[in-house]
Amino acid sequence: MASLREFQNLMARIYLAKDSKRGPEGTYKWLKEEVDELGEAMRENDKEALEDEFADVIAWLASLANVLEVDLENVAFKKYNNCCPKCRSIPCQCQCKP
Amino acid sequence: MASLREFQNLMARIYLAKDSKRGPEGTYKWLKEEVDELGEAMRENDKEALEDEFADVIAWLASLANVLEVDLENVAFKKYNNCCPKCRSIPCQCQCKP
């Protein structure tokens, strides 16, 4: 088991120097591109490619969080604090977002 | 410290019933929308809104991984195994993706 913070820190050690030079807008652009590639991998029905694209999306999300000084683990568990943040139920009982 | 797997499992407990009914394509659509909202929050320069959108993007990414039976923690640390997967260096020395 490895924490989300460990992954974000690993991304900082590998990429923060380049990410900082590129800046938030350029890093966001790559995140969008990786999300598009994830969509393509879904259509191709290739599990290995799919897993690879999931890894890339979370890597670029962590890179963007590093550039913007956001702690992904902190914000994720703060909002999703053992229930749906809207209806406060588990499982979610919201009627929205079908 | 909380693991990425714990977060993905939490998303399953809150949302998997709804996510499964919606299916991969519909869940991917929401992920894309949340990534767009993250981009908007970046332009608004509101740190709280920004953190909220980061939480939503990782939540929908975990939901999509649940629907497609992908273990985010496993694929992330498998690909990014203590170095850049392309140049095998830390920090990354790749000339691509400036």
Side-chain angles (χ1 to χ4, degrees):
Chain A
M1 299 260 276
S3 82
L4 186 42
R5 187 164 298 126
E6 278 166 351
F7 185 71
Q8 186 172 346
N9 287 341
L10 175 62
M11 291 304 96
R13 291 199 303 280
I14 305 178
Y15 297 115
L16 186 56
K18 291 178 79 175
D19 291 338
S20 299
K21 236 185 261 181
R22 188 190 314 106
E25 286 304 323
T27 304
Y28 177 76
K29 199 183 126 248
W30 280 114
L31 171 63
K32 289 268 281 185
E33 179 152 322
E34 293 299 340
V35 171
D36 287 344
E37 288 180 13
L38 175 60
E40 285 162 31
M42 282 172 62
R43 285 187 288 277
E44 282 163 15
N45 216 10
D46 173 340
K47 186 79 183 227
E48 206 174 318
L50 186 71
E51 291 181 346
D52 202 70
E53 295 303 337
F54 266 106
D56 285 344
V57 170
I58 196 160
W60 281 96
L61 185 67
S63 272
L64 185 62
N66 281 328
V67 173
L68 293 167
E69 294 180 348
V70 168
D71 181 324
L72 272 184
E73 180 174 304
N74 187 43
V75 301
F77 283 97
K78 185 176 154 201
K79 177 156 189 181
Y80 296 90
N81 184 16
N82 273 318
C83 62
C84 170
K86 284 182 187 145
C87 67
R88 300 271 156 212
S89 299
I90 183 165
C92 168
Q93 305 293 336
C94 292
Q95 297 303 313
C96 58
K97 293 209 173 186
Chain B
M1 298 260 276
S3 81
L4 186 44
R5 187 164 298 128
E6 277 165 352
F7 185 72
Q8 186 172 347
N9 287 341
L10 174 62
M11 291 303 98
R13 291 198 304 280
I14 305 179
Y15 297 115
L16 187 54
K18 292 179 80 175
D19 291 337
S20 298
K21 238 186 261 181
R22 189 189 316 104
E25 284 305 323
T27 304
Y28 177 77
K29 199 183 129 249
W30 280 114
L31 171 63
K32 289 268 283 186
E33 181 153 320
E34 292 300 340
V35 172
D36 288 344
E37 288 180 13
L38 175 59
E40 285 162 31
M42 282 172 63
R43 285 187 288 276
E44 282 162 15
N45 216 9
D46 174 341
K47 186 81 182 224
E48 205 173 320
L50 186 71
E51 291 182 346
D52 202 70
E53 295 303 337
F54 266 107
D56 285 344
V57 170
I58 197 162
W60 282 96
L61 186 66
S63 273
L64 184 62
N66 281 327
V67 173
L68 292 167
E69 296 181 344
V70 167
D71 181 325
L72 273 182
E73 181 174 306
N74 187 44
V75 301
F77 282 97
K78 187 177 152 199
K79 178 156 188 179
Y80 296 91
N81 184 15
N82 273 317
C83 62
C84 169
K86 283 181 188 144
C87 66
R88 299 273 155 209
S89 299
I90 182 165
C92 168
Q93 306 293 337
C94 292
Q95 297 304 310
C96 57
K97 294 207 172 187

